[in-house]
Amino acid sequence: MYTLGKKFRFSLFGKSHARCVGCILEGVPQGTPVDYERMCQELALRRPSKGIGTDRVEKDLPEIVCGVANGIADGNPIIIEIANGDVDDSKYLPFAETPRPGHADLPALLDIPKFDICGGGQFSGRLTAAIVAAGSIAKDMLEAKDIRIGAFCRSIGDVKDNEGRTIADVDASKQYPTRACTAELDAKMNDCIMSARKDADSVGGVVECIIEGLPIGFGGIWFESLDAELARGMFGIPACKGVEFGKGFDITKMRGSQSNDAYRFDSDGKIITKTNNMGGIVGGMADGAPVVFRTAFKPTPSIGARQETVNLKTCENADLVIKGRHDPCIAPRAVSVVEAVTALILVDQMERGL
Ligand SMILES: Cc1cc2nc3c(=O)[nH]c(=O)nc-3n(C[C@H](O)[C@H](O)[C@H](O)COP(=O)(O)O)c2cc1C
């Protein structure tokens, strides 16, 4: 099992082609409402979309095995299982001999004890369904305190959205398969993904996440800082290759006089920042501006185009052509996962009193 959080502890289990994937959520206060309908809605947003997604049929009906009675947390650990509908692993058998470049096969096979890599095994994006299910409980807990999280696709390949989106824009993105904020961007991102798919290839993308409503000072310092824990959580999501906050790496091109976010009082006497280059976090704590960070997802490693690999049995160089169902772009599906991991981390920091 793989665990995130110290007091509000999320542990992930299962495999892509096993009976189920699932999670255990510890530290949910007794009496917390658990909204099953919302959990299903969040899972529906993670599901592959026709055209730009894998052909895999993912029904994703979560079963709350323990910890909830009549929609209320009873103080026990909450155990959620999500059955795997499609467990035919025949298309994955060749990877035990000829590992997929860019996927986890090679290190997983050579590690001792050996991992099961059928269907991607424990490395599969399928496990993110359990993250999204638990994240829906965390989101409800945050929204009860007026803290809202919203993520969207900021870019796919070369197709880029502008900065300055708000949670209201993000709400609109839920209607678009690419999770872009506008119909125009959705069409362009869709074309970019379909063009990669036509070439038996894949494409990467950036998911931007916004958190609104954190009180000034929310978060910890040093290794418990809000940005440190969010970044660690994001890097736990398969295919994440980078995380940046606010202006991110571009801040190095600015001078301090440009990058510092000036403080002002607004007409209600509330402290605000004039800009948001820091992405809403200074010293590891929220500074009152929306927290804004971006997570880079690499192109899907399993592609139909011919690739060079090695044959671990014959110890010869080999070619690999991958068949089976794969997303030509991970980023649109990762949007819900980024939101869920963010929610789990925020509730853990909240429960730890940071
Ligand atoms: C939601 C989601 C869906 C994914 N779908 C696929 C897929 O269809 N095919 C694939 O090869 N990788 C897919 N991945 C990525 C792999 O799981 C990941 O690249 C692999 O485990 C290697 O880990 P790494 O990329 O973090 O190094 C997906 C990841 C996520 C988050």
Side-chain angles (χ1 to χ4, degrees):
M1 277 204 303
Y2 307 97
T3 300
L4 182 69
K6 292 181 178 162
K7 206 160 171 206
F8 184 77
R9 280 162 55 88
F10 168 84
S11 301
L12 186 61
F13 63 81
K15 290 192 271 187
S16 166
H17 285 57
R19 188 181 65 77
C20 69
V21 296
C23 65
I24 303 173
L25 197 54
E26 296 164 277
V28 182
Q30 197 174 23
T32 302
V34 175
D35 184 344
Y36 183 78
E37 284 308 312
R38 179 176 191 177
M39 195 179 281
C40 294
Q41 283 161 14
E42 298 280 346
L43 281 165
L45 286 169
R46 193 205 70 97
R47 234 175 258 152
S49 303
K50 278 212 173 71
I52 62 164
T54 152
D55 299 330
R56 179 175 185 149
V57 182
E58 294 190 353
K59 286 210 186 86
D60 288 348
L61 273 186
E63 189 187 345
I64 302 178
V65 180
C66 165
V68 179
N70 303 317
I72 304 287
D74 64 12
N76 280 301
I78 295 178
I79 302 179
I80 304 169
E81 287 185 2
I82 305 170
N84 292 324
D86 183 352
V87 292
D88 172 16
D89 58 13
S90 56
K91 296 207 173 71
Y92 289 81
L93 297 177
F95 310 146
E97 267 176 42
T98 47
R100 288 169 292 176
H103 213 292
D105 304 341
L106 181 71
L109 285 163
L110 297 186
D111 194 15
I112 298 170
K114 284 189 175 116
F115 284 103
D116 168 15
I117 58 154
C118 266
Q122 295 175 54
F123 304 92
S124 169
R126 171 80 192 137
L127 274 78
T128 60
I131 301 179
V132 171
S136 80
I137 299 174
K139 277 185 180 178
D140 278 338
M141 291 172 74
L142 292 165
E143 283 166 20
K145 296 193 179 298
D146 290 327
I147 299 168
R148 288 201 64 207
I149 299 168
F152 65 99
C153 257
R154 176 73 190 269
S155 69
I156 302 278
D158 285 337
V159 184
K160 286 195 187 89
D161 196 352
N162 300 320
E163 62 182 270
R165 293 289 181 194
T166 61
I167 295 259
D169 299 316
V170 174
D171 283 342
S173 80
K174 292 191 177 137
Q175 65 188 298
Y176 302 122
T178 63
R179 302 299 301 273
C181 279
T182 67
E184 195 190 343
L185 279 163
D186 177 58
K188 286 185 183 159
M189 288 182 182
N190 183 75
D191 288 351
C192 181
I193 297 172
M194 292 312 272
S195 145
R197 168 165 256 183
K198 194 165 71 50
D199 298 339
D201 216 332
S202 61
V203 66
V206 173
V207 174
E208 181 164 305
C209 186
I210 305 167
I211 310 167
E212 286 179 1
L214 288 180
I216 294 179
F218 185 101
I221 63 169
W222 289 99
F223 306 112
E224 297 191 326
S225 72
L226 182 52
D227 37 1
E229 294 203 352
L230 284 171
R232 176 179 179 266
M234 292 305 127
F235 276 108
I237 303 174
C240 163
K241 278 292 171 193
V243 181
E244 61 174 12
F245 290 81
K247 278 276 182 249
F249 277 56
D250 278 345
I251 209 160
T252 59
K253 297 175 200 154
M254 302 169 94
R255 290 194 162 188
S257 54
Q258 298 168 307
S259 65
N260 289 342
D261 297 316
Y263 297 125
R264 307 308 289 164
F265 283 110
D266 71 5
S267 51
D268 298 326
K270 193 178 142 217
I271 298 172
I272 55 165
T273 62
K274 274 180 93 176
T275 49
N276 193 7
N277 299 321
M278 304 298 151
I281 302 177
V282 282
M285 295 167 284
D287 68 4
V291 169
V292 179
F293 65 93
R294 287 172 295 285
T295 306
F297 288 94
K298 71 186 190 186
T300 314
S302 304
I303 51 173
R306 186 172 298 277
Q307 299 180 82
E308 291 180 340
T309 184
V310 289
N311 188 311
L312 296 173
K313 210 168 170 187
T314 63
C315 292
E316 288 170 336
N317 289 329
D319 278 357
L320 176 67
V321 174
I322 298 170
K323 297 193 178 69
R325 60 214 179 182
H326 293 283
D327 298 293
C329 185
I330 291 166
R333 299 192 62 203
V335 168
S336 312
V337 188
V338 165
E339 286 185 357
V341 171
T342 303
L344 292 168
I345 290 166
L346 291 182
V347 173
D348 183 49
Q349 290 220 335
M350 192 166 83
E351 295 296 307
R352 279 152 62 200
L354 296 181

